[in-house]
Amino acid sequence: MTERELLVLQDQLGNEELLIKKFRAYASQCSDPEIRDECNNIAQKHVNHFNTLMRHINSAAAQGQYGQGYMAQKMY
């Protein structure tokens, strides 16, 4: 994995994390149970995306495909 690819993945992790937080916040503010459930479902999809990206990055790290400067983030 190139440094550029790693930077793109890290940027996407940040985007996914933001979407998770937003949709969880939306869900907590909804009084309509259907909308609340849909917001929670969307948040869960972004959790899955986040975890998939983290697995990909961690796999590359285990194979030594990039330097030591990267610190893995928590998985949801």
Side-chain angles (χ1 to χ4, degrees):
M1 177 180 302
T2 68
E3 185 175 338
R4 172 94 172 121
E5 290 168 328
L6 178 61
L7 291 173
V8 169
L9 288 175
Q10 288 175 315
D11 189 43
Q12 189 58 40
L13 280 173
N15 293 336
E16 294 296 342
E17 191 167 26
L18 179 61
L19 288 166
I20 293 164
K21 288 177 184 178
K22 282 185 175 189
F23 279 98
R24 285 181 176 170
Y26 298 153
S28 72
Q29 296 172 9
C30 286
S31 57
D32 184 317
E34 289 181 40
I35 295 173
R36 183 177 50 244
D37 289 346
E38 188 60 28
C39 287
N40 282 323
N41 289 338
I42 294 168
Q44 186 57 49
K45 288 179 184 180
H46 287 289
V47 166
N48 294 343
H49 296 165
F50 182 93
N51 289 337
T52 298
L53 290 169
M54 282 303 298
R55 280 191 300 274
H56 186 65
I57 290 171
N58 289 334
S59 173
Q63 296 173 15
Q65 293 182 2
Y66 57 86
Q68 299 175 14
Y70 178 75
M71 180 185 299
Q73 297 181 18
K74 67 176 181 176
M75 290 180 68
Y76 280 87

